[in-house]
Amino acid sequence: MLVTLATPYADTTATDLSFALGLPEQPALHVLDLAHLGLRLRLLGASHQVVVDTPAGPLTETVACLPGRAPALPAAVADEAAGYSFTSRVHRLDRAGMSERIGLLRGRLADDPYALVGVFPGGADAVTALHAFSAGPTLGWHTWHAYPQSGELVETETVVTVR
């Protein structure tokens, strides 16, 4: 699902992002509720939040510019006991490379029922995109946070085993 947003994003570079587990739901600009998976993709003005319903209770992942938290986006987080794994990577792209990657991403995800792509004001490449997937007891999602003004594309992947 492709949505055009009227709100400028709050984070402006990859270095503004923080990672947190267990935060309460933040104000969302748009939510894609995948109830049959027990998963909600939440697009924030300051990036993304995903809520997963697990037998132990909701698991909430937030990658965003978070007031009161120092910016820090880890390359990896794993909790084997909880069946949780997160990775992130920052790609540095020139303007043409950014436009090509975002164009391909938008084209692939625009009509996907498991995807939410938010386009922020200021250009077609200013996007935050989330895409969910599932396989048996495993749920997961990829996210992309584009910062065309700094030539950065942050890509994350999370996998959760729901028992």
Side-chain angles (χ1 to χ4, degrees):
M1 174 187 316
L2 184 66
V3 295
T4 301
L5 305 167
T7 304
Y9 48 32
D11 48 335
T12 57
T13 70
T15 58
D16 290 338
L17 293 173
S18 294
F19 168 87
L21 288 173
L23 289 182
E25 291 187 19
Q26 303 296 301
L29 300 175
H30 203 85
V31 177
L32 178 59
D33 189 353
L34 300 169
H36 63 289
L37 297 179
L39 186 68
R40 288 179 300 289
L41 304 177
R42 301 171 50 77
L43 185 60
L44 310 179
S47 288
H48 88 260
Q49 186 173 58
V50 177
V51 181
V52 181
D53 297 325
T54 73
L59 173 97
T60 304
E61 173 191 280
T62 308
V63 173
C65 176
L66 299 168
R69 293 183 73 98
L73 184 64
V77 175
D79 183 340
E80 288 185 31
Y84 177 87
S85 174
F86 168 90
T87 58
S88 73
R89 181 170 179 212
V90 179
H91 305 277
R92 308 235 183 257
L93 303 166
D94 62 19
R95 186 171 300 278
M98 178 72 76
S99 290
E100 180 179 352
R101 291 278 300 268
I102 298 305
L104 290 170
L105 186 67
R106 286 176 60 153
R108 184 169 57 95
L109 299 179
D111 295 322
D112 188 316
Y114 293 91
L116 177 58
V117 181
V119 181
F120 289 89
D125 295 340
V127 304
T128 296
L130 300 93
H131 182 252
F133 58 89
S134 68
T138 301
L139 295 175
W141 53 93
H142 289 99
T143 73
W144 299 265
H145 306 259
Y147 304 100
Q149 70 281 5
S150 62
E152 298 168 306
L153 178 62
V154 178
E155 186 174 357
T156 74
E157 181 179 13
T158 302
V159 176
V160 178
T161 302
V162 181
R163 298 180 178 96

